[in-house]
Amino acid sequence: MEYFNEEKLPREKVFRDPIHGQIIVDNQIIMDLINTPEFQRLRRIKQLGATSFTFHGAEHSRFGHCLGVYEIARQMCNNFQRNYPSQSPDDGLWDDRERPVALCAALLHDLGHGPYSHTFEHIFHTDHEQITRQIITSPETNINHILRRVSPDFPHKVASVIDHTYPNQQVVQMISSQVDADRMDYLQRDSYYTGTNYGKFDLDRVLHVMRPVKDGIAFEISGMHAVEDYIISRLQMYLQVYFHPVSRAMEVILDHLLMRAKYIYEHPSEFEPEFTPHMLMPFFNKHFTLADYLALDDGVLTTYFNHWTHSRDDILNDLASRFLNRRPFKSAVYDQATVDLLPKLRELIRTAGFDERYYTAVNDSFKLPYDTYNPKASKPQTQIELVQPNGDFIELSQVSTLVASVSGREAGDQRFFFPKEMLAKHENIEVFEPIYEQFQQYIQNNHIINPEEIKNNGN
């Protein structure tokens, strides 16, 4: 890691940032990573995808988020080195020789996100974390060439932080844990750009009470309330912003739009023989290279969507138009008592002239605001430990009644999505009016209900 330290910039570079004020870069390696084509591509990937259709300010990019995660990790390293420097091997304190791998992993952790990433991943079965590691370790990338200036094995060390196998858990938990640099930046950044206050918490206080321990990171018990505030802020952001039904409705349309395009490409004789979206064809063919992937961004997909509004295929051009012109599906909450009504609702939608494969969907969005460690879980969470005055550790929910009240309890809902037309009164198409009226009997206060049960209870 000595080469990293030798590349100190003669003068700090500063990125002005609405969240952190200043993001400071004092190392040539970090500056060169930022200036690579692979990292600059993140300017063209929205952090929140289709959420900007709900919160119009949410146009910020993954570029800004990655810089923010780097800045928080830099502040963590500074705090640890100033207040908890290692004095001897295995003393559980901070070894500042870990700084280079921590800062590079923080900066590069989202490199592999694609356009409208989570929807894109669902359709084309990509994995942004796996692609991030590939970008870092592939000898074909600029990122890899720069990281190798530190040491030949340095790219693999950075990649191992991202896949949680790096041996120093302090570094891993900086980037990925229940209180990490990634979450702390996106909560504040997404809150700012969506114009909401839900994601605001006392970042300075959380960083101040954070400390390295032998198996990771813990928090001074005096800062418990700042950590509580962070957890509740995260819960509120999921419920109010990330799980917003309009954003999810637009994601459903995007998902079905790409699904329809894929179907048309796979059936040229049935639809359009000349349907050749060249930059997406490697993904339709399930055989893409890293270069194919890095060529994509939000603008590429949006350009195709514009072309598809003129497609001869009615479903493709309609879904493209709905997405570009923000005509979201409507939705209603369902539960175990009403899930059996969904086939009937799909039948009515089909009778009204809509292909149910592309004009209906179910979406379950749930989140655990905080979870205690369960070694039997498929992805066990690292629980939040507080350091008591005598040096003993205690798990957060054991002393926080607020966190205990939400610990292990999923929050969210299940929704059935359908065309808005099903709820409207239409002129000049009286033939469908009885179908709309019948459908609307199943919807009340944005929930699916059983009209027969209500009728019987009324009697």
Side-chain angles (χ1 to χ4, degrees):
M1 304 292 183
E2 290 301 321
Y3 191 79
F4 190 90
N5 296 327
E6 291 173 4
E7 293 218 17
K8 285 283 184 182
L9 291 171
R11 185 179 178 186
E12 294 175 344
K13 300 284 188 180
V14 174
F15 290 81
R16 299 288 300 187
D17 186 73
I19 308 306
H20 305 296
Q22 293 185 334
I23 294 173
I24 296 173
V25 175
D26 61 3
N27 189 279
Q28 190 66 52
I29 294 286
I30 297 295
M31 201 67 229
D32 289 348
L33 289 171
I34 291 171
N35 286 329
T36 59
E38 295 93 350
F39 195 84
Q40 290 293 318
R41 166 183 166 274
L42 298 179
R43 292 182 184 272
R44 307 189 299 276
I45 305 286
K46 284 183 185 176
Q47 174 71 12
L48 291 182
T51 301
S52 62
F53 286 107
T54 307
F55 301 92
H56 67 269
E59 298 281 346
H60 57 302
S61 69
R62 292 197 178 273
F63 179 92
H65 166 62
C66 285
L67 288 181
V69 176
Y70 155 83
E71 174 61 21
I72 292 178
R74 189 186 71 84
Q75 293 180 31
M76 288 180 182
C77 290
N78 289 349
N79 170 40
F80 290 176
Q81 177 60 15
R82 170 64 180 83
N83 298 305
Y84 307 102
S86 179
Q87 304 298 324
S88 62
D90 300 321
D91 61 6
L93 299 176
W94 176 251
D95 182 347
D96 208 44
R97 289 176 297 181
E98 299 286 4
R99 180 186 292 259
V101 72
L103 295 187
C104 290
L107 182 72
L108 304 177
H109 77 285
D110 267 356
L111 263 185
H113 272 287
Y116 300 103
S117 59
H118 296 296
T119 303
F120 189 90
E121 285 187 65
H122 176 249
I123 291 294
F124 297 113
H125 307 293
T126 58
D127 179 343
H128 73 269
E129 289 190 1
Q130 184 272 325
I131 292 174
T132 295
R133 295 191 296 271
Q134 189 178 349
I135 295 170
I136 291 170
T137 58
S138 170
E140 300 174 2
T141 67
N142 296 275
I143 292 284
N144 180 266
H145 293 165
I146 292 165
L147 292 174
R148 286 176 60 86
R149 295 203 325 242
V150 180
S151 70
D153 64 343
F154 189 62
H156 290 278
K157 288 183 176 180
V158 174
S160 71
V161 175
I162 291 166
D163 71 10
H164 307 163
T165 60
Y166 190 68
N168 187 317
Q169 284 300 300
Q170 294 169 351
V171 176
V172 172
Q173 290 181 28
M174 274 187 179
I175 314 303
S176 181
S177 63
Q178 294 204 76
V179 188
D180 58 34
D182 180 25
R183 296 181 187 192
M184 287 194 284
D185 182 80
Y186 75 60
L187 288 178
Q188 301 237 2
R189 192 169 299 276
D190 296 349
S191 181
Y192 176 87
Y193 281 103
T194 55
T196 64
N197 290 318
Y198 307 115
K200 294 181 179 178
F201 61 94
D202 193 343
L203 174 62
D204 292 338
R205 180 64 175 161
V206 172
L207 292 177
H208 181 72
V209 300
M210 182 181 287
R211 59 171 295 175
V213 294
K214 192 169 184 62
D215 295 317
I217 291 174
F219 300 84
E220 300 288 344
I221 198 166
S222 60
M224 180 185 76
H225 298 299
V227 179
E228 284 179 333
D229 188 30
Y230 156 85
I231 289 171
I232 299 305
S233 293
R234 185 166 178 262
L235 171 61
Q236 292 284 13
M237 281 295 285
Y238 272 92
L239 294 181
Q240 302 293 332
V241 176
Y242 305 137
F243 291 169
H244 195 288
V246 173
S247 302
R248 288 156 63 188
M250 294 303 294
E251 287 171 359
V252 165
I253 292 175
L254 175 59
D255 179 275
H256 289 187
L257 170 59
L258 290 171
M259 185 169 68
R260 184 62 175 179
K262 185 171 183 284
Y263 184 82
I264 293 172
Y265 177 77
E266 292 171 346
H267 299 81
S269 60
E270 184 179 347
F271 293 99
E272 300 182 28
E274 72 278 13
F275 188 76
T276 53
H278 296 285
M279 297 180 76
L280 291 177
M281 285 163 60
F283 302 91
F284 290 152
N285 292 327
K286 303 176 184 177
H287 186 71
F288 64 91
T289 66
L290 188 57
D292 293 329
Y293 189 90
L294 290 172
L296 296 182
D297 55 39
D298 290 359
V300 170
L301 259 62
T302 301
T303 300
Y304 279 123
F305 300 162
N306 268 299
H307 283 300
W308 295 346
T309 60
H310 304 290
S311 169
R312 294 201 306 269
D313 181 72
D314 290 340
I315 293 176
L316 186 69
N317 69 44
D318 178 63
L319 291 174
S321 177
R322 286 175 187 261
F323 185 76
L324 291 176
N325 298 316
R326 194 194 179 278
R327 296 188 352 248
F329 289 159
K330 298 294 285 184
S331 66
V333 176
Y334 69 93
D335 55 25
Q336 286 303 110
T338 54
V339 65
D340 291 339
L341 297 175
L342 298 187
K344 174 62 177 176
L345 296 179
R346 289 193 180 95
E347 179 187 342
L348 290 170
I349 291 168
R350 184 170 61 251
T351 306
F354 296 99
D355 187 326
E356 65 180 275
R357 293 173 297 174
Y358 299 102
Y359 289 90
T360 69
V362 292
N363 177 274
D364 303 347
S365 291
F366 291 96
K367 196 70 178 179
L368 281 174
Y370 176 68
D371 198 17
T372 52
Y373 177 70
N374 177 7
K376 295 181 180 179
S378 58
K379 291 186 177 180
Q381 293 283 349
T382 304
Q383 63 189 22
I384 299 174
E385 299 278 0
L386 302 178
V387 183
Q388 301 181 91
N390 67 355
D392 290 343
F393 295 96
I394 187 167
E395 189 269 319
L396 175 62
S397 66
Q398 298 299 308
V399 289
S400 168
T401 55
L402 182 60
V403 172
S405 69
V406 300
S407 178
R409 300 184 180 184
E410 287 190 322
D413 61 26
Q414 304 174 102
R415 286 182 175 267
F416 175 67
F417 290 84
F418 53 87
K420 185 177 181 179
E421 289 88 334
M422 298 301 298
L423 297 181
K425 300 290 184 181
H426 293 265
E427 297 180 2
N428 302 322
I429 47 173
E430 293 82 357
V431 64
F432 291 132
E433 199 67 29
I435 301 170
Y436 298 139
E437 290 176 354
Q438 187 177 355
F439 181 89
Q440 290 163 23
Q441 293 175 6
Y442 290 89
I443 309 295
Q444 186 178 87
N445 296 325
N446 298 319
H447 283 67
I448 293 176
I449 62 169
N450 189 329
E452 293 299 322
E453 286 186 6
I454 292 177
K455 181 180 178 181
N456 293 335
N457 291 337
N459 294 334

